[in-house]
């Protein structure tokens, strides 16, 4: 069995898995950042390869799944160049993290998956000619139901409480003040950061804790996230994508998000079978690397590049 390398780059962190004849090794790294020039992906790839101690000739195929590869970069070339620089000429797949997540969660079967962490995307595929991406437009224009989306709405509610525009969110305001300090400093702390989406998503733990304490506003924000994710998943499930679906991402650790999404999807599409995920985006990347090595993987630009 030839060795393959799977890499996952996301707003919450980066991971790499080496699958070799002598075993499996995994390493973790920093989260993916966005600079004025676009995604800062190449240094993460280089760092993960270095942590694994890999050199040219050590692996037969690589798959890099990355958040924002479609919307926040000029394409896959910067990742391809980073892989070539670290590992030489090797068969390489660069894919949206929506693709690797869908392949991993469904175990390589056709269907649709909604991915939500710092950002959110849904992807539906028949594994042949259709690879349909929904949302994933970033925390300003989209990413409905994501960690950044939840954090933004929580801070908006807190500021409305601070301004006297509402009176039902004192707990959210107190929690946000404990995290960020006085509200007048929040715009600078968020707007001036390159990783502002991650900063917004950091608020999710506070929202989940307040919802667990039966705070109605926090609970409704999480429920609204579930409804948004169901809408994205239903859009990804249009024909020719079969009615099989799953989910992946840390936001689903909040039970209210998952249960509300399940209920909302049932209202939108009663025919859909919603299953727990079989694997992660890293599992999907490993599977795609194997398929590329076997010559069984067709490119689907711009979501899936095979070099």
């Amino acid at each position: 069995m030839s060795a393959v390398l799977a890499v996952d780059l996301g707003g919450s962190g980066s991971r790499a898995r080496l699958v070799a004849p002598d075993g499996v090794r995994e390493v973790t790294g920093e989260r993916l950042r966005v600079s004025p020039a676009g995604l800062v992906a190449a240094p993460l790839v280089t760092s993960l390869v270095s942590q694994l101690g890999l050199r040219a000739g050590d692996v037969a195929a690589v798959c890099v799944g990355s958040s924002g590869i479609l919307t926040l970069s000029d394409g896959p070339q910067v990742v391809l160049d980073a892989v070539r620089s670290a590992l030489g000429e090797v068969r390489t797949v660069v894919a949206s993290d929506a693709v690797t997540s869908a392949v991993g969660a469904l175990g390589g079967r056709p269907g649709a998956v909604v991915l939500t962490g710092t950002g959110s995307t849904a992807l539906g595929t028949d594994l042949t000619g259709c690879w349909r991406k929904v949302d994933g437009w970033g925390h300003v224009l989209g990413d409905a139901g994501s960690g950044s989306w939840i954090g933004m709405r929580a801070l908006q509610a807190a500021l409305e409480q601070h301004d006297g525009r509402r009176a039902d969110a004192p707990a959210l305001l107190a929690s946000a003040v404990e995290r960020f300090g006085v509200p007048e400093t929040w715009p600078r702390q968020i707007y001036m950061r390159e990783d502002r989406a991650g900063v917004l998503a950091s608020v999710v733990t506070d929202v989940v804790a307040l919802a667990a304490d039966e705070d109605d506003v926090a609970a409704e924000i999480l429920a609204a996230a579930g409804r948004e994710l169901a809408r994205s998943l239903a859009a990804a499930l249009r024909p020719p994508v079969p009615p099989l679906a799953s989910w992946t991402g840390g936001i689903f650790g909040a039970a209210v998000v998952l249960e509300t999404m399940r209920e909302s999807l049932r209202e939108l599409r009663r025919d859909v079978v919603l299953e727990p995920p079989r694997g992660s985006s890293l599992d999907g990347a490993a599977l795609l690397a194997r398929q590329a090595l076997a010559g069984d993987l067709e490119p689907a630009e711009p979501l899936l590049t095979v070099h």
Side-chain angles (χ1 to χ4, degrees), residues 5-22:
L5 177 64
V7 178
D8 178 55
L9 307 178
S12 301
S14 57
R15 301 176 296 163
R17 176 188 298 164
L18 175 67
V19 184
D22 60 350

Side-chain angles (χ1 to χ4, degrees), residues 143-159:
D143 285 357
S146 68
S148 59
W149 187 94
I150 291 169
M152 184 181 299
R153 274 146 189 80
L155 293 180
Q156 287 171 341
L159 288 173

Side-chain angles (χ1 to χ4, degrees), residues 11-89:
S12 301
S14 57
R15 301 176 296 163
R17 176 188 298 164
L18 175 67
V19 184
D22 60 350
V24 177
R25 287 190 291 145
E26 290 191 13
V27 295
T28 60
E30 296 181 359
R31 66 187 182 185
L32 191 63
R33 296 186 299 106
V34 181
S35 75
L39 288 179
V40 186
L44 295 182
V45 173
T46 302
S47 174
L48 292 167
V49 170
S50 176
Q51 286 187 65
L52 287 167
L54 298 175
R55 298 175 297 178
D58 285 347
V59 298
V62 180
C63 177
V64 179
S66 177
S67 172
I69 197 71
L70 302 181
T71 55
L72 298 174
S73 76
D74 293 329
Q77 194 59 51
V78 64
V79 174
L80 291 171
D81 290 344
V83 172
R84 183 184 298 111
S85 176
L87 296 171
E89 290 294 338

Side-chain angles (χ1 to χ4, degrees), residues 44-243:
L44 295 182
V45 173
T46 302
S47 174
L48 292 167
V49 170
S50 176
Q51 286 187 65
L52 287 167
L54 298 175
R55 298 175 297 178
D58 285 347
V59 298
V62 180
C63 177
V64 179
S66 177
S67 172
I69 197 71
L70 302 181
T71 55
L72 298 174
S73 76
D74 293 329
Q77 194 59 51
V78 64
V79 174
L80 291 171
D81 290 344
V83 172
R84 183 184 298 111
S85 176
L87 296 171
E89 290 294 338
V90 60
R91 186 162 298 185
T92 305
V93 179
V94 180
S96 163
D97 63 336
V99 171
T100 54
S101 294
V103 172
L106 292 173
R109 298 172 297 167
V113 169
V114 62
L115 160 70
T116 182
T118 300
S120 67
T121 309
L123 185 125
T125 180
D126 61 0
L127 297 180
T128 55
C130 177
W131 294 83
R132 178 182 297 121
K133 172 181 169 293
V134 176
D135 205 350
W137 298 118
H139 68 285
V140 174
L141 299 176
D143 285 357
S146 68
S148 59
W149 187 94
I150 291 169
M152 184 181 299
R153 274 146 189 80
L155 293 180
Q156 287 171 341
L159 288 173
E160 289 176 358
Q161 177 75 29
H162 173 72
D163 288 341
R165 298 178 59 205
R166 66 190 302 163
D168 59 348
L172 277 174
L173 176 57
S175 176
V177 167
E178 183 176 354
R179 178 177 289 274
F180 294 111
V182 296
E184 288 73 17
T185 68
W186 299 359
R188 172 176 282 279
Q189 291 186 61
I190 294 170
Y191 297 154
M192 303 297 288
R193 294 280 293 267
E194 290 182 355
D195 60 342
R196 65 186 67 88
V199 175
L200 290 169
S202 70
V203 179
V204 171
T205 55
D206 301 334
V207 179
V208 171
L210 289 172
D213 286 339
E214 300 184 349
D215 183 90
D216 290 341
V217 179
E220 174 51 32
I221 290 172
L222 295 177
R227 291 191 290 270
E228 292 294 337
L229 295 169
R231 290 178 60 206
S232 294
L233 193 51
L237 281 161
R238 288 172 290 150
V241 179

